Amino acid sequence: MQIDSAVLYIFRKELAAKIIPAQVRQIHQIDNRIIDIELFRSYEKPIHLIFDTYRPLIYITENLKKDTGYMPSQTFCMTLRKQLEGSRLSSIEQPDFDRFLKFNFDRIEAGGKIINKSLCMELIPSAPNLILTEDNVIIDACLRGKKMERILAPGKPYVRNSYASRNNFLLFSAEEILQILKFGQLQDSSVQQWIFDTFNGFSSFLAEELFSRTKIKADLPLNHLNEEESIILANAIYDMAQEILSAKALYIYKKPNNKTWATPITLSAGEPIRKISADRWIREELQKDGGILSAETSQMAQKISSLLKKETRKMNKIKEIFGKSREAVMYLIFGILTTLVDYIAAMCCFGLLDLGELTSNNIAWVVSVLFAFITNKLFVFDSKSFEWRVLMKELVSFVSARVI
């Protein structure tokens, strides 16, 4: 399940109405990439705000199962506890209509000073992350390191992803969009490419609906639009923005492949199968996906499968090598043991039984040859037969080889 900017816009509005203001009661770690922030609301049940950087996804629930397996807190979760527990969630933003939500918290610190911190959830499927900042400086990040040409580490300035330079088309009038379009005609790009490069929040689904409404081809060069077509396109973008701004729920449409799609706008082709809140739609889709831990469980299963295949290849290689040299290795081992048996038997006969040197050596030879025969038969040559004729034939052949 992926959430585009338009769905996220509706969800942000619903979320703000439901959980602001609220106080952070506890912070837990369901997985090293899933954080649960328990919020306390006056006269209402506590609510859990879940940040999942696997899918990526944000959702809320009042009925988190009691047997939810919280794992021991690691560095990022411990940082969140230290920095946010007891603070007040004051606002939620969606800067530039991007796939990005910024949760703003404030807390009274020592000396009565109010300190503001922000928890930034980046919902881009290729590089999801959860980052805690203060004054646009990173305190900590769920996934540290170099992400999308940025360094995400404590103490580094927080810079949003490269898509942040695009425009929020919800803020412009039809006339302003037309001026942006005319400026874009100086460049060599298709209408669709210009839309994706210029505006945040235009998913392929919204772009498809835009071209359906305007009857303009997506691959048409932008500088081939005439004045009338340019006005039609600018007005259509503006109308779509107004629909999103005024929307209070999502329309669910069925696609030709029987999958469903959620959008805050009505489509020109087809009727919606139902209307639903963004919060409820996300929770329903989550259940279809298998619940809280399904994404990471799937990833874990893939990793385990990959490791098993790797180890199986190693074991097969070892078996292949050992199979070729097994007889030589086992023969060498029992050859050394036979020498020890011969020495011990001779010393026992000569030192303990006071037998002569020649007699002791002869007895030791017989004992060591019998030991060598039995061990080589069982462990070197894997001969398991103890029939009298087979046994005598093997023994005579073995002893003859030793005598010669």
Side-chain angles (χ1 to χ4, degrees):
M1 173 178 55
Q2 293 184 12
I3 301 178
D4 65 19
S5 296
V7 172
L8 191 62
Y9 178 79
I10 306 302
F11 178 65
R12 184 203 63 81
K13 291 198 296 184
E14 294 177 0
L15 200 58
K18 197 162 190 175
I19 66 175
I20 293 178
Q23 186 179 34
V24 178
R25 174 184 279 181
Q26 290 182 322
I27 300 177
H28 297 287
Q29 190 167 346
I30 297 174
D31 181 87
N32 60 351
R33 290 180 59 176
I34 304 179
I35 298 295
D36 169 19
I37 297 182
E38 185 180 357
L39 299 171
F40 175 77
R41 302 170 296 164
S42 299
Y43 309 109
E44 294 188 64
K45 291 175 60 178
I47 197 165
H48 295 266
L49 180 59
I50 312 294
F51 296 87
D52 182 342
T53 59
Y54 283 103
R55 284 179 171 88
L57 187 63
I58 302 172
Y59 53 97
I60 55 175
T61 178
E62 295 179 355
N63 302 306
L64 199 64
K65 292 181 179 179
K66 293 182 179 180
D67 60 349
T68 297
Y70 292 125
M71 66 180 294
S73 299
Q74 298 179 354
T75 305
F76 182 61
C77 182
M78 293 175 69
T79 300
L80 292 179
R81 285 179 176 175
K82 180 181 177 181
Q83 300 290 337
L84 297 182
E85 281 189 352
S87 61
R88 182 179 69 102
L89 176 60
S90 56
S91 64
I92 306 172
E93 304 173 35
Q94 186 187 7
D96 302 317
F97 196 55
D98 205 351
R99 285 176 294 180
F100 174 92
L101 285 185
K102 184 179 181 182
F103 295 78
N104 298 311
F105 299 85
D106 53 59
R107 186 169 69 178
I108 301 176
E109 303 285 356
K113 185 178 180 181
I114 298 178
I115 302 297
N116 301 301
K117 296 182 177 71
S118 299
L119 192 57
C120 306
M121 181 66 178
E122 299 181 346
L123 292 149
I124 299 168
S126 59
N129 213 336
L130 184 61
I131 303 151
L132 181 65
T133 68
E134 181 180 353
D135 296 329
N136 282 327
V137 175
I138 297 173
I139 298 175
D140 205 353
C142 183
L143 301 172
R144 297 183 184 181
K146 189 173 183 180
K147 306 289 181 182
M148 298 185 73
E149 302 180 355
R150 304 169 297 156
I151 301 295
L152 297 177
K156 294 287 185 181
Y158 176 58
V159 180
R160 281 174 48 212
N161 56 65
S162 58
Y163 302 131
S165 60
R166 298 185 300 194
N167 297 304
N168 178 1
F169 71 96
L170 302 184
L171 302 178
F172 298 111
S173 65
E175 292 76 14
E176 289 170 329
I177 294 172
L178 181 60
Q179 292 303 314
I180 295 171
L181 189 155
K182 289 182 176 179
F183 180 78
Q185 289 178 325
L186 300 175
Q187 302 174 6
D188 186 18
S189 64
S190 66
V191 176
Q192 178 171 269
Q193 191 59 50
W194 169 76
I195 289 172
F196 290 156
D197 291 344
T198 305
F199 299 116
N200 264 328
F202 252 102
S203 63
S204 57
F205 184 75
L206 288 181
E208 182 180 330
E209 172 61 18
L210 178 67
F211 298 129
S212 175
R213 293 183 181 187
T214 59
K215 310 303 181 185
I216 294 174
K217 293 183 178 179
D219 58 355
L220 180 71
L222 188 66
N223 51 24
H224 285 194
L225 290 176
N226 57 39
E227 183 68 19
E228 182 182 0
E229 289 172 327
S230 297
I231 294 173
I232 290 173
L233 182 61
N235 286 335
I237 294 174
Y238 174 76
D239 291 341
M240 191 173 283
Q242 297 311 300
E243 282 187 65
I244 295 171
L245 287 169
S246 61
K248 295 181 180 178
L250 300 177
Y251 297 100
I252 308 300
Y253 288 87
K254 183 169 285 188
K255 300 171 75 175
N257 57 5
N258 286 327
K259 291 186 177 181
T260 57
W261 191 269
T263 175
I265 65 172
T266 56
L267 303 185
S268 54
E271 292 292 326
I273 57 177
R274 62 175 174 154
K275 193 176 181 180
I276 189 173
S277 70
D279 170 46
R280 183 176 175 184
W281 176 74
I282 288 173
R283 285 188 282 113
E284 286 184 1
E285 291 299 306
L286 179 66
Q287 290 303 314
K288 290 179 184 177
D289 285 349
I292 293 176
L293 292 172
S294 65
E296 56 275 19
T297 300
S298 177
Q299 286 195 7
M300 186 71 73
Q302 291 177 4
K303 288 180 181 178
I304 292 172
S305 177
S306 177
L307 286 172
L308 285 174
K309 288 179 181 178
K310 187 176 180 180
E311 292 304 315
T312 300
R313 288 195 296 268
K314 284 184 181 179
M315 288 301 298
N316 289 337
K317 187 67 176 177
I318 291 171
K319 286 179 181 179
E320 182 182 348
I321 295 171
F322 185 73
K324 294 178 179 178
S325 58
R326 180 179 177 278
E327 286 189 9
V329 172
M330 297 297 284
Y331 191 81
L332 177 63
I333 291 172
F334 289 113
I336 295 171
L337 291 176
T338 299
T339 303
L340 289 174
V341 168
D342 181 80
Y343 177 77
I344 293 170
M347 291 301 294
C348 289
C349 291
F350 186 74
L352 297 177
L353 301 178
D354 290 325
L355 299 177
E357 183 177 346
L358 180 60
T359 304
S360 297
N361 286 334
N362 288 336
I363 293 174
W365 181 86
V366 172
V367 171
S368 62
V369 168
L370 287 174
F371 172 81
F373 170 71
I374 294 170
T375 54
N376 278 268
K377 172 181 172 62
L378 295 176
F379 302 111
V380 178
F381 304 114
D382 287 326
S383 175
K384 306 299 182 183
S385 175
F386 283 90
E387 290 185 14
W388 180 252
R389 282 189 299 175
V390 174
L391 191 64
M392 290 307 297
K393 182 178 179 181
E394 290 176 343
L395 180 60
V396 169
S397 175
F398 188 83
V399 172
S400 299
R402 295 302 179 276
V403 172
I404 293 173

